[in-house]
Amino acid sequence: MTGSTRAPLTAKQATEVVADPWRVVADKLVAAYRTGSMVRGLEFVAKIVDAAEEADHHPDVDLRYGSVHLTLTTHSAHQLTEADVALANRITGIAAEMALEKLADPVTAIELAIDAMDIGAIRPFWQAVLGYSDGNDKELAELADPAGRLPSVWFQQMDEPRPQRNRIHFDLCLPHDEVHERLQAAITAGGQLLSDEFAPAWWILADSEGNEICLCTWQEKTD
């Protein structure tokens, strides 16, 4: 390993040189540590920030009560690099100095795939209804959450329709005071409202090929 250079790494290469508990998941390095309290977690995060500033390379940090969750990737390269592994190993050292244990919960990521006959026709609907931006994988026409918190969406080309089953279904939970704006954006982008029977608890929409999504709020169904 050559310090904090941004030489690209394959997932296999990163796995071979990164310290435990870091794992490669969906082309990113991920790890989580048990801190026991938010105060202890904040102390850990402060040390991570110092190391990140020194390396001029920065992780995504999720501070929760009792744990800290971390993700590393080189955004400018759209992949893992030596800089990610170097900082991950430095963070592992910080955790060891603080006697922090890795979180036992499994580290996972989720992606959502949509089978489509005409990807260009339905992609604008999904981008509008989810509020996503263009992702890095152009070949799969990927859409990504701008905040980096929700699953990415990619599209798979179909050779022929499969009317016997719905090819995907989403439940998207939104603040109750934002759902109507999102609903209108989805319809404007080519979507259709299938049912508002259960509104304002949820609305059922679909794109032009029938792939469905429910826009959900905390509110209860009105009679």
Side-chain angles (χ1 to χ4, degrees):
M1 186 59 56
T2 57
S4 59
T5 69
R6 284 170 169 74
L9 293 175
T10 64
K12 183 177 185 296
Q13 289 171 328
T15 298
E16 290 173 346
V17 293
V18 76
D20 188 64
W22 293 88
R23 297 292 183 272
V24 177
V25 178
D27 298 323
K28 297 178 181 179
L29 283 174
V30 293
Y33 290 91
R34 187 181 308 280
T35 58
S37 71
M38 187 160 281
V39 172
R40 186 71 164 158
L42 185 59
E43 180 185 353
F44 182 38
V45 170
K47 292 178 181 293
I48 291 172
V49 170
D50 288 342
E53 287 295 301
E54 181 180 344
D56 191 26
H57 193 60
H58 304 87
D60 292 332
V61 180
D62 181 1
L63 171 62
R64 305 182 186 183
Y65 181 81
S67 63
V68 172
H69 302 252
L70 301 155
T71 303
L72 272 165
T73 189
T74 302
H75 297 287
S76 60
H78 306 309
Q79 68 176 102
L80 290 171
T81 69
E82 289 185 349
D84 300 309
V85 171
L87 184 55
N89 289 342
R90 177 70 185 98
I91 292 171
T92 299
I94 294 171
E97 293 167 4
M98 296 181 63
L100 299 179
E101 297 180 354
K102 67 179 181 180
L103 200 63
D105 296 344
V107 179
T108 60
I110 186 170
E111 295 180 347
L112 303 174
I114 299 176
D115 296 342
M117 295 294 296
D118 188 346
I119 294 173
I122 70 170
R123 187 177 184 272
F125 166 81
W126 290 106
Q127 185 164 16
V129 74
L130 295 173
Y132 273 22
S133 57
D134 293 335
N136 295 326
D137 196 326
K138 306 303 180 184
E139 183 178 350
L140 296 177
E142 182 186 27
L143 297 173
D145 173 22
R149 296 173 55 246
L150 300 177
S152 61
V153 176
W154 59 276
F155 298 83
Q156 181 168 276
Q157 184 65 53
M158 295 176 61
D159 295 327
E160 58 184 22
R162 282 182 267 174
Q164 70 275 17
R165 65 181 178 88
N166 188 32
R167 291 164 292 188
I168 198 166
H169 172 81
F170 294 80
D171 283 335
L172 181 66
C173 298
L174 295 167
H176 71 284
D177 56 353
E178 296 180 10
V179 66
H180 291 286
E181 181 179 355
R182 188 67 61 85
L183 180 68
Q184 186 56 54
I187 293 172
T188 301
Q192 53 185 320
L193 177 63
L194 298 184
S195 175
D196 60 0
E197 177 184 357
F198 302 100
W202 72 85
W203 292 256
I204 304 174
L205 295 88
D207 62 28
S208 58
E209 292 191 7
N211 297 301
E212 297 179 5
I213 182 169
C214 292
L215 298 187
C216 309
T217 76
W218 55 262
Q219 295 175 304
E220 296 181 358
K221 175 183 178 296
T222 56
D223 295 328

